[in-house]
Amino acid sequence: MTDTDLQTAAQTSKAWPFEEARKLLKRYPQGKAKDGQDMPVLFETGYGPSGLPHIGTFQEVLRTTLVRRAYEVLTGKPTRLVAFSDDMDGLRKVPDNVPNKEMLAEHLGKPLSRIPDPFGTHESFAHHNNAMLRAFLDQFGFDYEFVSASDRYNSGEFDEALRGVLRNYDKIMGIMLPTLREERRKTYSPILPVSPTSGIVLQVPIEVVDAEAGLIRFEDEGESVELCIFKGNAKLQWKVDWAMRWVALGVDYEMCGKDLTDSVTQSGKIASVLGGRKPEGLIYELFLDENGEKISKSKGNGLTIEQWLTYGSEESLGFYLFREPKSAKSLHPGIIGRAVDEYWQFREKIPTQPIEQQMGNPVWHLLRTNGASAGGEGDKLPVTYGLLLNLVGVLGANATRDQVWSYLANYVEDATPEAHPALDTLVTCALAYNRDFIAPTLNRRAPENGEVAALTALDEELAATSDDATAEELQNIVYEIGKDPHYGFESLRDWFKALYETLLGSSTGPRMGSFIALYGIENTRKLIAQALEGAKA
């Protein structure tokens, strides 16, 4: 497959990263240039480090990277990605999920980068949370440039852009005031000075004294103060700051959540006033926790990145985040297992698909996240994650990695962690998921009515079956019993549900032939015996 073939297919691909990339192609039909020199298209993601990084933060970097790579395939042009931290923002409330809350409460209102780290490991709260974000992005292999608002404000790199805000103060107020309630209009200012007395980011009316010199006047603790806003002595109000950043950095693409739809509109107008242009972008739906509530950095609800990686693989996280960005998704442990197995199903399909279908395959995009394809198209797992979960479920909360691998030897050729590292990762994840979610709620019911006779018949058939029977042969045995009208099942689905509930303690489960081959005929007969004993009791 040549680059030309890829570019041709990308022109018409309906995959959302290519649809987004074509917006940039329309923006720059001949590529981005300045003074006759080619310029890389600039992608940006924003991060507010008031709480710990979560999957909502990470997904924005991943999805933006997917569009970035699609644009590179589409055009062959260079790109850059900036991960921007708004760490000059004032701390509005103390997050629920951090230590030393009393200490943080003493610094409410101050810039995040000027508040001590409650964890005691970094020079400020912002530095700690920025480090956590960068560590994960580095772990995942993203290519990005980290930019701190504090660094840009304090160094003076934003000073010229701040002059532009002061020069256009009245026009910016004309954009913002009609969007505010009457009470807010009285105190609104696009410029938020940092109090020389308290160090707090103030939200007070200001008067522009000298735009070129950066001088403003405002009231602070009852006194009139004249202050130069340059070199970190002030920051901009959120929507104005966003627009200023787009113009100052030359941002061409930035996506955001649906809750910022109005902000995009107002910031776009302000960017025009400042002599720039609103970037292209996607407005995506928000993630919800298992109660249907919006995930919040400060609440710490939903799933953390660390929790997902405890129960599922990195690849499955990327897969879940790829799908349907404009649809709301629940984010809780219950969705991880399906995401793991679907990732591997899509990965296995890639070599059999024509290029047009490959470009619609989420895994085709994910394998290119860190540049050219990392390979691995067509790879598959010898055992599904769902089957692993069922296995560890019957082994109990105290199951071990070595114990699981001993059972995998019944089903997998060369069953060692070294030979199957991806499977070994999932063994560890399955043990954790079983310990925390399956074992505490496992409840095998006793078989009843025709189920007793059907389980007895299955036990007899297994007793007469060779230990080296294939999963397909074992599945056929299960099928034939379920289809026998003597046992009274209205459908095979009812028979399988009875097996899951009486043997595995779950309403859903794997192909029983595969499970029996993995768990072993003798061990499966022991499960059946326990179920039949329960029926007698």
Side-chain angles (χ1 to χ4, degrees):
M1 187 69 61
T2 66
D3 289 345
T4 301
D5 293 330
L6 290 173
Q7 288 178 357
T8 300
Q11 292 282 354
T12 56
S13 174
K14 294 181 180 179
W16 70 261
F18 283 116
E19 291 181 338
E20 292 299 301
R22 287 196 291 270
K23 293 179 183 177
L24 288 164
L25 183 60
K26 186 176 180 181
R27 185 183 181 99
Y28 298 118
Q30 306 302 321
K32 186 178 181 181
K34 183 178 181 180
D35 299 328
Q37 299 293 317
D38 287 342
M39 297 278 291
V41 166
L42 182 62
F43 293 78
E44 181 183 59
T45 64
Y47 168 57
S50 58
L52 304 182
H54 60 76
I55 288 178
T57 310
F58 168 69
Q59 63 85 19
E60 195 166 299
V61 180
L62 173 66
R63 286 174 171 168
T64 302
T65 297
L66 294 171
V67 178
R68 179 188 181 190
R69 298 308 180 204
Y71 177 79
E72 291 169 349
V73 169
L74 183 66
T75 65
K77 300 288 186 181
T79 63
R80 293 169 55 212
L81 170 63
V82 163
F84 190 95
S85 173
D86 188 15
D87 54 7
M88 271 289 284
D89 198 16
L91 180 66
R92 288 181 287 275
K93 65 178 181 177
V94 177
D96 296 331
N97 54 355
V98 298
N100 295 314
K101 293 183 177 64
E102 296 81 4
M103 180 276 289
L104 283 181
E106 296 174 2
H107 294 277
L108 283 174
K110 294 180 182 178
L112 292 159
S113 57
R114 301 177 189 178
I115 295 174
D117 176 18
F119 296 89
T121 57
H122 292 76
E123 61 185 278
S124 75
F125 188 29
H127 282 83
H128 173 273
N129 291 347
N130 288 342
M132 287 194 65
L133 175 70
R134 295 175 69 178
F136 186 77
L137 298 181
D138 291 343
Q139 176 186 342
F140 208 82
F142 286 114
D143 172 30
Y144 69 99
E145 303 163 37
F146 184 79
V147 176
S148 157
S150 289
D151 289 346
R152 293 298 172 108
Y153 275 108
N154 294 338
S155 68
E157 291 180 75
F158 278 164
D159 286 356
E160 185 56 36
L162 292 174
R163 279 192 186 91
V165 173
L166 292 178
R167 291 173 187 140
N168 294 281
Y169 181 82
D170 291 338
K171 292 180 181 178
I172 293 171
M173 292 290 279
I175 292 170
M176 290 304 304
L177 291 182
T179 70
L180 304 174
R181 295 178 181 176
E182 183 176 352
E183 198 64 30
R184 180 73 178 98
R185 292 178 192 173
K186 296 176 182 178
T187 60
Y188 178 82
S189 168
I191 296 157
L192 309 178
V194 177
S195 168
T197 305
S198 66
I200 290 174
V201 178
L202 302 176
Q203 298 195 40
V204 294
I206 67 104
E207 175 189 349
V208 178
V209 177
D210 185 336
E212 299 308 312
L215 289 176
I216 63 170
R217 186 179 295 118
F218 58 93
E219 291 285 329
D220 183 16
E221 298 185 5
E223 294 186 4
S224 177
V225 176
E226 197 167 287
L227 178 76
C228 174
I229 67 172
F230 298 155
K231 297 293 178 70
N233 289 325
K235 75 175 298 290
L236 298 180
Q237 184 271 346
W238 151 239
K239 294 176 185 177
V240 185
D241 186 271
W242 204 12
M244 179 275 292
R245 185 196 315 166
W246 289 341
V247 176
L249 300 180
V251 176
D252 299 303
Y253 187 93
E254 181 165 7
M255 60 175 64
C256 66
K258 188 174 77 171
D259 56 337
L260 296 182
T261 300
D262 289 341
S263 297
V264 170
T265 300
Q266 306 309 324
S267 296
K269 293 177 181 178
I270 295 168
S272 296
V273 166
L274 295 176
R277 183 180 178 188
K278 182 180 76 171
E280 308 299 329
L282 168 74
I283 295 179
Y284 56 79
E285 269 287 358
L286 305 176
F287 288 116
L288 309 174
D289 65 14
E290 55 191 334
N291 297 317
E293 296 181 358
K294 176 189 168 185
I295 288 176
S296 162
K297 291 191 296 292
S298 58
K299 284 183 181 178
N301 60 335
L303 276 179
T304 65
I305 292 168
E306 293 78 15
Q307 285 172 324
W308 184 292
L309 297 181
T310 298
Y311 308 123
S313 60
E314 289 183 2
E315 297 91 347
S316 65
L317 174 58
F319 180 84
Y320 188 74
L321 298 177
F322 180 95
R323 306 291 292 276
E324 300 171 341
K326 294 184 179 180
S327 298
K329 290 186 178 68
S330 296
L331 197 57
H332 56 83
I335 52 91
I336 294 176
R338 181 176 178 181
V340 172
D341 282 335
E342 288 188 346
Y343 168 83
W344 285 100
Q345 290 167 12
F346 276 86
R347 183 164 171 169
E348 183 180 355
K349 289 178 183 177
I350 293 176
T352 66
Q353 296 176 316
I355 184 57
E356 294 79 12
Q357 290 182 15
Q358 288 185 22
M359 286 184 166
N361 185 324
V363 180
W364 186 90
H365 292 267
L366 292 168
L367 290 175
R368 287 160 173 77
T369 301
N370 300 325
S373 175
E377 293 95 339
D379 289 354
K380 63 179 182 179
L381 289 178
V383 174
T384 67
Y385 189 53
L387 190 55
L388 269 182
L389 289 174
N390 288 120
L391 173 62
V392 298
V394 297
L395 294 179
N398 297 319
T400 66
R401 175 170 170 260
D402 290 343
Q403 190 179 11
V404 174
W405 274 104
S406 71
Y407 280 98
L408 287 171
N410 296 328
Y411 195 75
V412 178
E413 186 176 346
D414 193 16
T416 65
E418 295 74 22
H420 301 280
L423 181 58
D424 188 49
T425 296
L426 293 179
V427 167
T428 302
C429 293
L431 289 168
Y433 193 90
N434 178 60
R435 178 194 66 229
D436 295 342
F437 300 107
I438 297 176
T441 60
L442 200 63
N443 182 25
R444 299 187 185 96
R445 69 170 177 84
E448 53 192 28
N449 304 323
E451 295 170 352
V452 174
L455 283 170
T456 302
L458 177 57
D459 181 59
E460 292 171 353
E461 288 289 341
L462 292 178
T465 301
S466 169
D467 286 340
D468 60 1
T470 66
E472 195 61 38
E473 290 168 340
L474 294 167
Q475 185 73 8
N476 288 335
I477 292 172
V478 177
Y479 268 138
E480 291 304 318
I481 293 172
K483 289 190 293 186
D484 190 332
H486 173 71
Y487 301 114
F489 297 110
E490 291 187 7
S491 68
L492 280 171
R493 177 178 296 179
D494 293 334
W495 167 226
F496 289 129
K497 185 178 180 183
L499 288 169
Y500 301 148
E501 292 177 350
T502 60
L503 302 185
L504 305 181
S506 173
S507 59
T508 60
R511 282 174 59 89
M512 284 306 298
S514 299
F515 175 79
I516 296 168
L518 175 61
Y519 193 50
I521 289 176
E522 181 180 350
N523 288 318
T524 303
R525 291 190 65 209
K526 290 178 182 177
L527 280 180
I528 294 172
Q530 292 170 6
L532 293 175
E533 282 296 318
K536 291 178 183 179

